[in-house]
Amino acid sequence: MVRHNNQIPNAHFHKHWQEYIKTRFDQPMKKIKRASRRHAKAARVFPRPPGYLRPIVRCPTLAYKNKVRLGRGFTLEELKEANIDVRVAKTIGVAVDHRRRSSNEEAFKQNVERLRVYNTKLLIFPRNPRVGPKKGDSSKEELSKAVQQKSQAGVTREKVVAEARPISDEEKKFSAVAALNKAREDKKAANKEWAKKLNKDRT
């Protein structure tokens, strides 16, 4: 019994926590289910590949910039360089992303080369088999040898391992703090010069 004018005990111990937790006991079965769906889709869209061709991009931020992965789609500039029309790209299995920008020249050339290689291996089936192939369609001999590509090629993650070497005298003398401070001072001085020139032009 509670003594004096204190709160009556009303501890809530019956929380029914079993209803609020999530378990993943079905994870192995879900994995099998996803694989069977992929196989079913590949069989359904044969001889087309199950997915779109996607570019090779690097992850953002300094921490993940060395990680290579598949992007959402090719830029308009990359398609233009590879001589592929944007309206035709999706019809031949090439993903397009009009928002991405190619700021790295090396990555730009890599993706353009990826598109060109894809274009050389591309086989276009006639829309109506009864009518026969039209201009731009592949020949019957080429179509008879068609093989379905089920995986995205070209994404290789190379592990860069630096070789051990002795530290040079220049590296021992180098001070990162001093270099950063000098760069900051140079930037401040350049901004002052720019502001002075701007005020002079206005007057």
Side-chain angles (χ1 to χ4, degrees):
M1 186 64 190
V2 179
R3 297 183 65 188
H4 308 300
N5 189 22
N6 293 326
Q7 185 180 4
I8 297 170
N10 61 344
H12 297 263
F13 292 126
H14 299 287
K15 296 289 186 182
H16 303 288
W17 57 269
Q18 295 93 335
E19 297 176 8
Y20 299 104
I21 64 169
K22 288 184 179 180
T23 58
R24 295 193 67 210
F25 299 133
D26 61 342
Q27 187 268 333
M29 197 62 217
K30 288 280 186 184
K31 184 179 179 181
I32 296 168
K33 219 178 234 185
R34 286 195 300 272
S36 64
R37 281 178 184 168
R38 284 197 298 271
H39 296 324
K41 184 182 178 182
R44 190 173 65 249
V45 300
F46 182 85
R48 289 185 294 145
Y52 286 107
L53 179 77
R54 300 192 184 277
I56 297 172
V57 297
R58 290 187 179 272
C59 295
T61 71
L62 197 66
Y64 304 103
K65 68 175 185 178
N66 291 326
K67 187 180 179 184
V68 179
R69 65 173 178 83
L70 292 174
R72 179 181 285 272
F74 291 91
T75 62
L76 304 180
E77 292 82 15
E78 288 166 354
L79 291 166
K80 187 178 179 182
E81 188 69 22
N83 294 324
I84 297 175
D85 190 48
V86 180
R87 293 166 293 184
V88 179
K90 283 226 171 177
T91 63
I92 59 173
V94 177
V96 182
D97 185 8
H98 65 275
R99 294 169 296 185
R100 190 167 67 83
R101 297 286 177 269
S102 301
S103 56
N104 189 348
E105 189 66 28
E106 186 182 346
F108 176 78
K109 288 178 180 176
Q110 186 183 23
N111 284 324
V112 170
E113 185 61 28
R114 187 174 169 83
L115 283 168
R116 283 174 180 162
V117 171
Y118 178 79
N119 223 355
T120 55
K121 296 179 180 179
L122 184 66
L123 296 176
I124 299 176
F125 281 71
R127 191 181 290 272
N128 190 352
R130 293 176 184 174
V131 177
K134 293 184 178 179
K135 186 182 177 183
D137 295 344
S138 302
S139 62
K140 287 185 178 181
E141 291 77 16
E142 291 175 332
L143 296 177
S144 62
K145 299 174 185 176
V147 180
Q148 190 180 37
Q149 188 76 26
K150 293 185 180 179
S151 62
Q152 289 274 356
V155 183
T156 53
R157 296 182 178 92
E158 295 180 4
K159 193 175 181 181
V160 180
V161 180
E163 294 181 2
R165 59 176 181 79
I167 301 169
S168 63
D169 294 334
E170 290 181 5
E171 289 173 339
K172 287 179 182 177
K173 292 175 184 177
F174 177 75
S175 173
V177 176
L180 287 170
N181 287 339
K182 189 176 184 310
R184 199 177 292 114
E185 288 169 8
D186 292 345
K187 185 181 177 183
K188 202 179 283 185
N191 286 341
K192 281 182 181 179
E193 286 291 327
W194 178 77
K196 195 184 291 182
K197 187 181 178 182
L198 190 68
N199 290 330
K200 189 178 180 182
D201 292 342
R202 284 178 178 174
T203 56

